Amino acid sequence: QVRLVESGGGSVQAGGSLRLSCVASEFTPCMHWFRQAPGKEREWVASIKSDSATTYADSVKGRFTISRDNAQNTLDLQMNSLKPEDSAMYYCAATGLRFGYCGTNYYWGQGTQVTVSS
């Protein structure tokens, strides 16, 4: 059972920046950020594999940067040029690899709130 603990959420004005962090209890090949706004489904934000290959949702591409430290089992999300629509609970998640691709059996953190005011 992988345990994940997020930190770094908070409130910021539109155009501002926040950095989220996540600490995992052990190494996992794939790590992800998801978010969920009130009344909406949880949506994928970004993923990073252990070789640092990254993918992003179109809505955050060019504004958010996902990174990881394999030695420390940590995951970060640098969020710049934040918009009110980025407001959500942000979740760190981890999965294994299946045939070279990130699996879909997720371990989840408890989440950290991000609020962006206009």
Side-chain angles (χ1 to χ4, degrees):
Q1 182 79 10
V2 179
R3 295 182 302 277
L4 303 164
V5 179
E6 303 96 334
S7 62
S11 297
V12 66
Q13 289 192 326
S17 298
L18 281 174
R19 188 175 185 89
L20 306 182
S21 295
C22 173
V23 179
S25 60
E26 60 188 79
F27 172 81
T28 54
C30 295
M31 299 191 79
H32 319 269
W33 287 101
F34 285 76
R35 66 187 181 186
Q36 186 169 19
K40 295 188 177 182
E41 292 188 354
R42 189 172 296 189
E43 66 170 342
W44 169 73
V45 174
S47 296
I48 185 168
K49 296 172 70 173
S50 56
D51 63 359
S52 294
T54 59
T55 50
Y56 296 91
D58 287 344
S59 59
V60 306
K61 201 173 293 183
R63 300 188 298 121
F64 291 10
T65 303
I66 189 172
S67 60
R68 65 185 293 169
D69 184 330
N70 292 334
Q72 301 292 325
N73 295 332
T74 58
L75 175 72
D76 289 332
L77 185 69
Q78 177 66 42
M79 305 185 294
N80 298 328
S81 301
L82 283 161
K83 305 174 182 180
E85 52 264 43
D86 293 319
S87 296
M89 185 71 78
Y90 282 72
Y91 296 91
C92 171
T95 58
L97 276 175
R98 185 173 175 82
F99 304 114
Y101 296 93
C102 291
T104 56
N105 185 22
Y106 291 96
Y107 296 98
W108 296 98
Q110 294 297 312
T112 186
Q113 180 69 39
V114 171
T115 302
V116 184
S117 58
S118 58

